[in-house]
Amino acid sequence: MDMIKGFKDFLLRGNVVDLAVAVVIGAAFTAVVTSFTTSFLEPLIGLVGGGGELGGSFVVDGQEFTWAAFVNQVITFVLTAAVVYFVVVLPMKKLVERRQRGEEAGPAAPTQVELLVEIRDLLRAQQGQGPGHDPSGPGTTSLPGQL
């Protein structure tokens, strides 16, 4: 049962959920870009290559080389990379720079007291005890040796 609880805690951490959302959105976006390049850009590349049945490809000794498909994939990659850069990387970079300059507060770090309380509660949970009442009173915690 502890293994299932640990797995649940792992899945519900913010980073794992954010990563899963990013992968799903990325896959959906890649599908849209691929559809756009296949439906619109590949035919245009074929027309530039002479149009007709062999537009965007050529045959040498019975082997067909589809250069339009390659150019299409390069365009797909460049469009995807540009959107990732301008929508994700650049805003994150600016946010980090603002935090370094002190214009925007970063995430609040837990205090030593909060960390000690969390450690105490985890140790109690591992020993089969609940977090229980803090005997030292409100606003204070037991020292690690007084668990």
Side-chain angles (χ1 to χ4, degrees), residues 13 48 64 104 107 121 126:
R13 285 186 190 159
V48 169
E64 183 177 7
E104 186 169 322
D121 291 345
Q126 287 177 348

Side-chain angles (χ1 to χ4, degrees), residues 54-138:
L54 294 178
S57 65
F58 60 92
V59 178
V60 176
D61 290 333
Q63 298 299 317
E64 183 177 7
F65 293 87
T66 56
W67 61 270
F70 173 74
V71 171
N72 183 39
Q73 289 303 317
V74 169
I75 292 171
T76 300
F77 171 78
V78 169
L79 287 175
T80 304
V83 168
V84 167
Y85 178 76
F86 289 111
V87 173
V88 178
V89 174
L90 198 58
M92 286 301 294
K93 182 180 175 186
K94 289 185 182 204
L95 178 66
V96 168
E97 288 173 355
R98 283 197 313 238
R99 284 186 179 170
Q100 287 174 347
R101 289 191 308 256
E103 295 175 10
E104 186 169 322
T111 65
Q112 289 182 352
V113 172
E114 292 170 330
L115 291 174
L116 289 172
V117 168
E118 186 176 340
I119 291 169
R120 181 201 60 205
D121 291 345
L122 287 171
L123 288 171
R124 285 183 177 170
Q126 287 177 348
Q127 295 170 355
Q129 303 171 2
H133 173 69
D134 187 357
S136 58

Side-chain angles (χ1 to χ4, degrees), residues 24-42:
V24 170
I25 296 294
F29 176 72
T30 300
V32 169
V33 171
T34 300
S35 177
F36 171 74
T37 57
T38 301
S39 299
F40 294 103
L41 296 180
E42 196 167 340

